Amino acid sequence: MAIRHAPAGEPFDVAPLGARLEGARTVALFKSEDLEVMRLVLLAGKALPPHKVAGEITIQCIEGRIEVTTDGQPQVLCAGQMLFLAREVVHGVVALENASALLTIALTGSTPAQHTNDPARSQR
Amino acid sequence: MAIRHAPAGEPFDVAPLGARLEGARTVALFKSEDLEVMRLVLLAGKALPPHKVAGEITIQCIEGRIEVTTDGQPQVLCAGQMLFLAREVVHGVVALENASALLTIALTGSTPAQHTNDPARSQR
């Protein structure tokens, strides 16, 4: 993941990437004391495996369509739609078409993301 | 301000309002443990007076253009641009044209917004 942090107080771009989407990668836009914002880039058919984070999250679809599955329940997010996830909710994401999405993560009580398909957990 | 809270796990609309903008009002989309998200609607020339909040903030311009002034420094945000503000940064917003913007506020250590033009404060 390319890291390019936006300084506080300076505008940065979160518009649709359009024709640049196919060559783009997921980028961390900034991470500070309370908030982390990243632009997730997923090409059609690509997925983030189920995982969870300590803090609350918003997922805003910027372009394309993604399917977000929380606790086994799939939801389709189109461009211009946002989803709010409570703390510790296990969620997976798959791109139904080339897509980018803005993720905002509350760092309250934050710990690194835990993948539910970790070998230690999948043996239950 | 009309309050219409989006439940966790259900998509809600943050797309440009377009022709509906002129009749729209600022709405709180949700407020939970770590995050509060609202859509600010400001018609051309309207302003939010300088104020600050305890937690970090992102301001994402959805449509139109707004000018955000932080510590006396104005920045223009166009549709598709985002600004990150650190904790306790005094900021004012004025709409340069009819605009809507998504505000995400980290509630970490949150206290109600303090207006710097409160009578009690302006007597310093």
Side-chain angles (χ1 to χ4, degrees):
Chain A
M1 180 187 294
I3 303 292
R4 175 177 54 84
H5 287 289
E10 288 187 20
F12 53 93
D13 181 37
V14 294
L17 295 167
R20 292 173 293 141
L21 180 63
E22 283 202 46
R25 299 177 65 182
T26 294
V27 289
L29 295 168
F30 73 85
K31 182 174 183 177
S32 190
E33 291 177 289
D34 303 331
L35 293 175
E36 178 175 5
V37 176
M38 63 181 72
R39 186 203 285 258
L40 173 69
V41 173
L42 277 184
L43 299 186
K46 298 292 183 186
L48 287 184
H51 63 286
K52 63 180 181 177
V53 296
E56 294 175 348
I57 305 174
T58 61
I59 305 174
Q60 179 185 354
C61 186
I62 297 293
E63 62 203 311
R65 279 188 312 138
I66 57 176
E67 184 179 78
V68 182
T69 299
T70 54
D71 293 330
Q73 180 74 29
Q75 299 271 10
V76 175
L77 275 193
C78 302
Q81 288 188 305
M82 178 180 272
L83 194 66
F84 159 67
L85 301 183
R87 296 174 179 173
E88 301 276 354
V89 168
V90 175
H91 59 284
V93 182
V94 60
L96 302 179
E97 51 190 71
N98 290 353
S100 81
L102 214 57
L103 305 187
T104 300
I105 302 168
L107 298 174
T108 312
S110 183
T111 56
Q114 296 179 335
H115 285 262
T116 56
N117 56 352
D118 279 353
R121 294 176 64 91
S122 62
Q123 289 170 10
R124 289 179 302 182
Chain B
M1 181 187 296
I3 303 291
R4 175 177 54 83
H5 287 290
E10 289 188 20
F12 53 93
D13 181 39
V14 294
L17 295 166
R20 293 172 292 142
L21 180 64
E22 282 203 46
R25 299 176 65 182
T26 294
V27 289
L29 295 169
F30 73 84
K31 182 174 183 176
S32 189
E33 293 177 287
D34 304 330
L35 294 175
E36 178 174 5
V37 175
M38 62 181 72
R39 185 201 286 259
L40 173 68
V41 174
L42 277 184
L43 299 185
K46 297 292 183 186
L48 288 184
H51 63 286
K52 63 179 181 176
V53 296
E56 295 175 346
I57 305 174
T58 60
I59 306 175
Q60 178 185 355
C61 186
I62 298 293
E63 62 203 311
R65 279 189 311 138
I66 56 176
E67 185 179 77
V68 182
T69 298
T70 54
D71 293 329
Q73 181 75 25
Q75 299 270 11
V76 175
L77 275 192
C78 303
Q81 287 188 306
M82 178 179 272
L83 195 65
F84 159 66
L85 300 182
R87 296 174 177 173
E88 300 277 354
V89 168
V90 174
H91 59 284
V93 182
V94 61
L96 302 178
E97 50 192 69
N98 291 354
S100 80
L102 214 57
L103 306 187
T104 300
I105 302 168
L107 299 174
T108 312
S110 183
T111 55
Q114 296 179 334
H115 285 263
T116 55
N117 55 352
D118 278 355
R121 295 177 62 90
S122 63
Q123 288 171 12
R124 288 181 303 182

